[in-house]
Amino acid sequence: MNEEQKDKGLKKAVKEENGFRLPSNFAYHTMRKVEEAIRLREKKSERRTLFATIAASIFLIGCCIAGLVIYFGNTIREAFIRPEILETEKIQIPSFYLLILIAMPLFLIFDRWMRKRYFNKHHP
């Protein structure tokens, strides 16, 4: 009799299991949610990249201003204090061109890196 109760319990469990069915468009809804999650992740990544670009730009502008103040600080102060014409010997033009020669390759490398990231993301 114990086996008969087990059989009845198994039959009852099988009948209850068949009552649950997935909707016909379950796969469509699941894929739509997955695509939405991917889009949200991409938007967050783009937002982080934008903030990183802005931060890098602000840092580079600050470095440029600091370099100009370090190399031409006295000359700039004298230009605003005295109305006399500055002697050309006091201006250190070669050091300024050295800064330009260092900055330009850095800007080109940064531009190439950003373009590569953009085209990889938007043109797979």
Side-chain angles (χ1 to χ4, degrees), residues 3-40:
E3 289 182 24
E4 289 178 15
Q5 288 177 349
K6 287 182 184 177
D7 289 339
K8 287 181 183 177
L10 288 174
K11 287 180 184 179
K12 185 178 179 182
V14 168
K15 286 181 183 177
E16 289 177 4
E17 187 177 322
N18 289 339
F20 177 75
R21 294 191 185 247
L22 291 174
S24 62
N25 58 356
F26 175 76
Y28 171 75
H29 285 295
T30 304
M31 289 306 295
R32 189 175 64 176
K33 288 181 182 179
V34 168
E35 288 173 359
E36 286 176 10
I38 289 171
R39 264 190 247 116
L40 286 175

Side-chain angles (χ1 to χ4, degrees), residues 65-89:
I65 292 171
L68 290 173
V69 167
I70 289 171
Y71 285 106
F72 296 110
N74 293 332
T75 308
I76 294 171
R77 275 188 232 115
E78 289 175 5
F80 287 110
I81 292 173
R82 300 185 311 182
E84 300 173 9
I85 299 174
L86 295 175
E87 297 175 16
T88 57
E89 297 172 7

